[in-house]
Amino acid sequence: MKRVGVIGGGQLAWMMADAAQQLGVELVIQTPSENDPAVSIAQEIVFAPVDDARATEILAQKCDIITFENEFVNIQALSVLAQQGVCFRPRLEALAPLLDKYHQRCYLSDLGLPVPEFFALDQTENLKSKIEYLGLPAVLKSRRHGYDGQGTFIITDFATLEQKLSYETTTKTLNQSLFLLEEFVPFERELAIIAARSVEGEIVTYPVVETQQEQQVCRRVIAPAEITPNQVAEIHAIAHTLLNSLEVVGILGIELFLTTDGILVNEIAPRTHNSGHFSLDACETSQFEQHLRAVCGLPLGNAALQCAGAVMVNLLGYENSHSDYQSQRQQIAEIPQAHVHWYGKTESRPGRKLGHVTVLLDNQNRESAYPIAHSIESIWYPR
Ligand code: ADP
């Protein structure tokens, strides 16, 4: 029996529960609030913020390995624990280049992987020349702690950029060096791939998927993506390069842009990822089981689809409420081949991920996913 410590107690940790039980693994969770989803499934809990390394020291005493469902950690403080022999999987060296979006872009570009043009914003006087180089619109991103589009701003004119920077820097006591400025990519589609690497270095990839974002938040995922075998091969090669170079143990989520000129890497998440939720119902080994298998030193499982295709729709909050949306969930569950996952959050807020639904498909026609996603969304969102 292994005890796995998980830093972060959101839905990504919650979704590890079934796999943990099957594999005979106990989960000990470090998370700040008793309302967090994974509290209900944890064997034991250390109540503390995810970046509290002293709490992680306590977590380490309760388990054999520590992994992450949230990367907003304090690497420097954790490295002291690693030096004392605490086993982090993935290891901290694999996380380090990824936590800051600017460092991540530099890492990818040093590896020779295709990325959008980017700059760190460190000198105000160069702002104009950077914008002239990138053109408008451009994209401004907080270098750290961005998620679900929080911290990502599409900038359409220079005045808005200046305004945004001065607002973000004064209200959040940040400084400009904590921003990344990059070209706006006029992508045809957004794609993603989940890949896992074992302790022995074996790599398993999930099918490439199409992700659809609205206001920078993921709304839908279609598996598999309707792309050419060459594009699939290119994405597999990107995944292999990244996992091997980082020597990751566990799951990596890789988000990409498909453009008329080719593929660009947008973002890497060193953990299970929203674009892989379909695997819970559509694959023999879900991304959550795969992650636990990898970090526990077990052989990796089969990541192939067990059905022709699948569409995953996020159930996002659209109001401030304490409702559990029982009747909408019930109606969605009645859709043939639908699997509803409800994270048990006690509070709904606009844009908050409250649950998701995956519908298994009997074909790989992208168009057939649309009416299904539409019917889920018309039940879920008020008209
Ligand atoms: P987060 O970490 O918040 O998920 P991302 O960098 O993944 O931030 O951006 C969220 C979404 O914003 C992307 O999925 C995409 O739709 C849009 N986006 C981000 N960067 C760009 C870009 N350079 N060009 C065009 N759209 C972008």
Side-chain angles (χ1 to χ4, degrees):
M1 163 77 66
K2 278 230 191 303
R3 279 170 75 89
V4 174
V6 184
I7 302 185
Q11 63 265 21
L12 299 178
W14 178 76
M15 283 186 269
M16 288 177 186
D18 285 350
Q21 203 172 21
Q22 271 172 37
L23 297 171
V25 166
E26 289 186 346
L27 299 177
V28 187
I29 310 266
Q30 174 178 340
T31 200
S33 160
E34 61 182 24
N35 293 326
D36 292 338
V39 169
S40 64
I41 56 91
Q43 220 69 40
E44 224 183 311
I45 302 149
V46 176
F47 283 111
V50 293
D51 62 356
D52 181 341
R54 274 183 304 187
T56 306
E57 192 172 0
I58 297 167
L59 182 72
Q61 287 157 10
K62 298 175 185 292
C63 47
D64 308 302
I65 301 155
I66 293 184
T67 191
F68 308 85
E69 75 106 56
N70 180 311
E71 63 274 35
F72 301 156
V73 292
N74 180 344
I75 287 265
Q76 265 179 341
L78 293 184
S79 64
V80 178
L81 301 182
Q83 279 155 22
Q84 290 165 1
V86 174
C87 177
F88 290 101
R89 287 189 178 153
R91 66 205 173 97
L92 302 180
E93 290 81 353
L95 291 187
L98 304 181
L99 302 194
D100 173 312
K101 285 185 198 242
Y102 175 68
H103 294 157
Q104 188 182 114
R105 280 262 184 280
C106 295
Y107 185 80
L108 295 169
S109 131
D110 289 349
L111 276 179
L113 296 178
V115 292
E117 296 274 5
F118 66 101
F119 293 108
L121 279 194
D122 38 19
Q123 288 162 303
T124 339
E125 64 268 27
N126 281 341
L127 212 50
K128 263 224 150 82
S129 65
K130 284 171 179 162
I131 284 288
E132 268 158 26
Y133 181 81
L134 294 173
L136 286 169
V139 183
L140 178 71
K141 293 182 177 179
S142 302
R143 285 173 55 167
R144 284 220 61 189
H145 298 121
Y147 70 101
D148 291 348
Q150 308 281 326
T152 295
F153 312 100
I154 313 289
I155 301 293
T156 48
D157 59 88
F158 192 71
T160 311
L161 174 62
E162 283 188 314
Q163 242 171 30
K164 197 83 223 162
L165 283 175
S166 95
Y167 174 80
E168 292 290 320
T169 47
T170 50
T171 56
K172 302 192 178 156
T173 53
L174 295 175
N175 67 56
Q176 288 196 357
S177 64
L178 299 178
F179 288 98
L180 166 72
L181 187 66
E182 67 183 28
E183 68 172 311
F184 178 86
V185 178
F187 52 80
E188 289 182 334
R189 286 185 208 168
E190 290 190 79
L191 305 172
I193 186 168
I194 299 290
R197 187 173 173 278
S198 71
V199 171
E200 279 84 30
E202 179 198 1
I203 292 177
V204 165
T205 53
Y206 283 82
V208 178
V209 297
E210 173 179 348
T211 67
Q212 297 180 350
Q213 274 63 229
E214 284 175 23
Q215 266 110 42
Q216 287 90 49
V217 183
C218 177
R219 291 285 293 259
R220 293 159 224 110
V221 171
I222 299 171
E226 242 182 48
I227 53 173
T228 66
N230 279 348
Q231 289 165 332
V232 171
E234 189 182 340
I235 292 168
H236 281 173
I238 290 172
H240 279 254
T241 301
L242 264 168
L243 271 78
N244 283 330
S245 133
L246 290 164
E247 294 180 33
V248 159
V249 171
I251 291 273
L252 211 63
I254 307 170
E255 296 178 84
L256 309 122
F257 296 128
L258 177 64
T259 76
T260 45
D261 299 332
I263 288 161
L264 298 174
V265 182
N266 175 31
E267 194 176 35
I268 315 297
R271 55 169 166 75
T272 56
H273 192 261
N274 197 172
S275 62
H277 289 0
F278 71 94
S279 64
L280 274 172
D281 303 297
C283 300
E284 186 180 318
T285 312
S286 75
Q287 64 166 341
F288 303 99
E289 176 177 343
Q290 201 75 284
H291 187 72
L292 286 176
R293 284 183 161 277
V295 303
C296 292
L298 297 168
L300 299 181
N302 176 10
L305 281 169
Q306 300 297 292
C307 47
V311 54
M312 191 279 324
V313 178
N314 274 334
L315 303 177
L316 301 178
Y318 51 82
E319 61 179 358
N320 292 303
S321 162
H322 290 281
S323 171
D324 66 359
Y325 300 97
Q326 186 79 48
S327 112
Q328 280 142 287
R329 284 196 274 147
Q330 187 57 43
Q331 279 182 63
I332 293 170
E334 282 163 16
I335 294 172
Q337 300 272 49
H339 300 261
V340 178
H341 299 261
W342 185 251
Y343 309 149
K345 295 181 182 177
T346 52
E347 227 184 306
S348 167
R349 286 191 300 273
R352 191 168 195 214
K353 288 174 178 164
L354 302 177
H356 74 264
V357 48
T358 298
V359 178
L360 307 183
L361 306 174
D362 56 14
N363 65 71
Q364 298 198 343
N365 176 3
R366 170 175 193 257
E367 302 303 321
S368 74
Y370 283 113
I372 296 171
H374 180 75
S375 66
I376 293 166
E377 289 172 349
S378 62
I379 296 168
W380 177 249
Y381 295 103
R383 269 151 245 231

